[in-house]
Amino acid sequence: MTDECCKKSFWDSAKDTAKRIMEDPSVASQQVQQERREICNFCEHRTAFDTCSLCGCVIALKIKPNNMKCPIDKWVESK
């Protein structure tokens, strides 16, 4: 995957998320989602609205697809 998820625009991030889901609709395991959530919960880039201030993604949605990754590599794509 490319680093397209690291765009700052919410709409660009939403478009990239949709593209990634269409390319690989598989969902990360509950354990992986929980690990990603815990990392994001304590991240300095998490906003009060549960979004990432770097890429604009809604964290609750971003942690689910296998092929998503943190824009600063705090967590990576699940294989």
Side-chain angles (χ1 to χ4, degrees):
M1 278 280 128
T2 66
D3 287 335
E4 293 175 15
C5 68
C6 302
K7 296 177 181 172
K8 297 209 183 250
S9 161
F10 169 81
W11 298 111
D12 286 339
S13 293
K15 181 179 172 183
D16 180 64
T17 299
K19 177 182 159 195
R20 285 169 178 266
I21 291 170
M22 289 180 66
E23 289 173 355
D24 179 6
S26 63
V27 176
S29 69
Q30 288 295 329
Q31 179 181 347
V32 168
Q33 289 182 46
Q34 183 177 357
E35 289 169 1
R36 291 174 175 181
R37 167 51 81 185
E38 289 176 18
I39 292 167
C40 290
N41 280 347
F42 294 100
C43 182
E44 65 275 17
H45 301 290
R46 181 181 175 268
T47 71
F49 300 106
D50 199 34
T51 60
C52 175
S53 65
L54 294 176
C55 65
C57 288
V58 176
I59 294 169
L61 301 176
K62 185 172 185 121
I63 63 172
K64 293 181 185 247
N66 263 328
N67 62 353
M68 287 301 234
K69 70 181 214 85
C70 168
I72 54 175
D73 295 326
K74 287 190 175 188
W75 51 267
V76 296
E77 294 178 36
S78 178
K79 304 291 180 201

